């Protein structure tokens, strides 16, 4: 019985250490969640404005000239750090579909990664795609490793996204994505990620990114007061329409990618906080059960010892 009591005590001690670790991880994730939510709130002001401009350009039919645009050559893209904005309007027959999948680099985030991957696979199967005509751009190691093992083409992966990502970090990522579109690595592009609702809930989103057109620029929540009253915005372009689009479209693409990464990171921290809270609560339940088991075993041992002592005393008498 003594060995059994020692084993229970070791399990209690081990579980208490686990509880301390998961409790600390919950506090860290909660702090990160609070920080990134404040950052997201300020960024959404910019994102809404740039999306509003693109919406107005779409209404003015300035995004409808994609078929007549000739993208820059591959050599020009490699030698220039600037993003070719007009190339994002180019439309062509869809032979290959690109999917940006945003996951985490680590585990301990509950169902966060599995939900994104599962929904992305459903998107692929729903479009009757095969591993040959789907190109995966993986942001996060979990998604990259998953799709590589299953035979998907993953020509580019981006690991090590910071807990509070900065806007400037996405420039090279966006440029690479657009250069691959220019090179016809894929003919359309979707961004798949988990949208943060609250710390307990997130929802999967698959947003079309390329080519940019009036069809995939949402505007239901961006109409201003003048539009509601029956007025529409008109733009006078200086120096030219192409020059304006060369500046605005890369900013719009960067806002889509960065906004998705920021939203996904917020969802990741929320999932991590929830998962660690669940683990901490489970550890407390296990400790309570083990302590009850230990007390019962100890009481049984004491009762046995008392019985033996009483028996021995009776034999002496």
């Amino acid at each position: 019985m003594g060995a059994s009591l020692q084993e229970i005590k070791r399990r209690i001690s081990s579980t208490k250490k686990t509880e301390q670790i998961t409790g600390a991880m919950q506090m860290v994730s909660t702090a990160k969640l609070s920080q990134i939510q404040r950052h997201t709130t300020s960024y959404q002001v910019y994102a809404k404005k740039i999306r509003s401009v693109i919406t107005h350009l779409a209404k003015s039919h300035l995004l409808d000239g994609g078929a007549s645009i000739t993208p820059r050559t591959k050599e020009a893209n490699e030698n220039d750090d600037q993003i070719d904005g007009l190339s994002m309007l180019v439309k062509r027959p869809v032979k290959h579909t690109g999917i940006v999948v945003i996951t985490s680099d680590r585990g301990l985030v509950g169902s966060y990664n599995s939900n994104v991957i599962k929904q992305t696979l459903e998107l692929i199967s729903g479009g009757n795609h095969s591993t040959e005509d789907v190109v995966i751009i993986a942001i996060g190691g979990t998604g990259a490793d998953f799709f590589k093992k299953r035979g998907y083409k993953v020509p580019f992966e981006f690991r090590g996204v910071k807990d509070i990502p900065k806007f400037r970090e996405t420039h090279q990522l966006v440029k690479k994505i657009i250069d691959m579109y220019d090179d016809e690595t894929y003919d359309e592009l979707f961004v798949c990620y988990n949208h943060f609702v609250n710390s307990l809930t997130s929802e999967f989103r698959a947003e079309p990114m390329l080519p940019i057109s009036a069809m995939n620029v949402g505007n239901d929540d961006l109409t201003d007061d003048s539009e509601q009253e029956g007025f529409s915005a008109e733009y006078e372009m200086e120096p030219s329409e192409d020059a304006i689009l060369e500046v605005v479209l890369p900013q719009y693409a960067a806002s889509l990618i960065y906004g998705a990464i920021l939203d996904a990171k917020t969802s990741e921290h929320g999932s991590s906080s929830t998962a660690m809270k669940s683990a901490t609560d489970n550890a407390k339940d296990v400790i309570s059960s083990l302590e009850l088991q230990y007390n019962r075993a100890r009481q049984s041992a004491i009762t046995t010892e008392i019985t033996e002592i009483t028996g021995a005393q009776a034999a002496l008498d």
Side-chain angles (χ1 to χ4, degrees):
M1 185 62 70
S4 178
L5 287 174
Q6 287 299 111
E7 178 64 26
I8 295 174
K9 286 180 69 175
R10 280 196 294 268
R11 290 178 62 190
I12 291 174
S13 176
S14 175
T15 308
K16 283 183 176 180
K17 292 177 181 178
T18 302
E19 179 197 0
Q20 292 174 349
I21 294 171
T22 56
M25 293 177 69
Q26 179 193 348
M27 293 176 61
V28 170
S29 295
T30 302
K32 290 178 180 178
L33 176 61
S34 178
Q35 291 178 14
I36 200 170
Q37 281 182 307
R38 290 195 297 269
H39 187 73
T40 302
T41 300
S42 61
Y43 170 75
Q44 285 176 343
V45 177
Y46 165 78
K48 184 174 182 179
K49 287 295 183 182
I50 191 68
R51 192 177 181 93
S52 178
V53 170
I54 294 297
T55 299
H56 288 148
L57 293 177
K59 288 184 176 181
S60 301
H61 302 287
L62 296 179
L63 305 182
D64 298 338
S68 60
I69 295 173
T70 303
R72 295 187 302 191
T73 62
K74 183 177 181 180
E75 291 74 16
N77 284 331
E78 291 176 348
N79 297 327
D80 189 357
D81 190 51
Q82 298 298 317
I83 297 173
D84 183 8
L86 293 179
S87 66
M88 289 184 279
L89 299 175
V90 176
K91 302 175 184 177
R92 52 180 178 260
V94 178
K95 299 178 181 177
H96 297 89
T97 297
I99 301 178
V100 178
V101 183
I102 304 177
T103 59
S104 69
D105 287 310
R106 59 184 180 85
L108 302 178
V109 289
S111 61
Y112 171 79
N113 289 318
S114 60
N115 182 54
V116 175
I117 291 173
K118 177 184 176 182
Q119 296 290 340
T120 301
L121 290 176
E122 290 183 1
L123 175 68
I124 293 173
S125 62
N128 295 321
H129 298 298
S130 66
T131 56
E132 298 300 322
D133 53 35
V134 172
V135 179
I136 301 293
I137 295 95
I139 302 178
T142 303
D145 295 339
F146 177 88
F147 286 103
K148 280 182 178 178
K149 289 179 180 179
R150 281 152 183 81
Y152 287 89
K153 291 181 287 187
V154 186
F156 182 75
E157 57 184 89
F158 186 80
R159 298 175 185 249
V161 179
K162 295 182 179 178
D163 291 325
I164 313 294
K166 302 298 182 182
F167 185 79
R168 62 178 177 271
E169 297 171 4
T170 63
H171 176 77
Q172 290 301 323
L173 174 61
V174 174
K175 185 178 187 305
K176 182 65 176 179
I177 288 173
I178 295 172
D179 288 349
M180 292 172 67
Y181 182 72
D182 293 346
D183 299 339
E184 300 188 13
T185 304
Y186 41 78
D187 306 299
E188 64 177 356
L189 182 68
F190 293 87
V191 182
C192 298
Y193 64 97
N194 264 346
H195 166 64
F196 177 79
V197 178
N198 54 54
S199 58
L200 297 175
T201 308
S202 62
E203 62 182 26
F204 176 78
R205 285 188 175 178
E207 299 181 347
M209 177 180 170
L210 294 175
I212 296 176
S213 67
M215 295 294 293
N216 58 23
V217 176
N219 55 16
D220 292 341
D221 58 340
L222 298 172
T223 53
D224 54 30
D225 294 337
S226 63
E227 289 174 323
Q228 292 176 359
E229 294 172 0
F231 300 98
S232 61
E234 293 186 3
Y235 287 86
E236 294 183 1
M237 299 294 181
E238 291 291 344
S240 67
E241 293 181 4
D242 287 355
I244 297 298
L245 292 176
E246 278 282 13
V247 175
V248 174
L249 292 179
Q251 292 184 19
Y252 173 66
S255 73
L256 280 181
I257 295 295
Y258 178 68
I261 293 175
L262 202 60
D263 201 356
K265 267 294 177 182
T266 306
S267 180
E268 178 186 334
H269 293 322
S271 296
S272 178
S273 177
T274 301
M276 291 303 99
K277 182 180 185 304
S278 177
T280 302
D281 292 341
N282 289 339
K284 289 179 179 179
D285 291 341
V286 171
I287 291 170
S288 177
S289 176
L290 287 173
E291 287 178 342
L292 179 61
Q293 183 180 348
Y294 176 80
N295 290 334
R296 285 177 175 173
R298 186 166 176 270
Q299 183 179 13
S300 177
I302 292 173
T303 301
T304 301
E305 290 176 1
I306 292 175
T307 302
E308 291 174 352
I309 292 172
T310 303
Q313 183 66 36
L316 292 174
D317 293 343

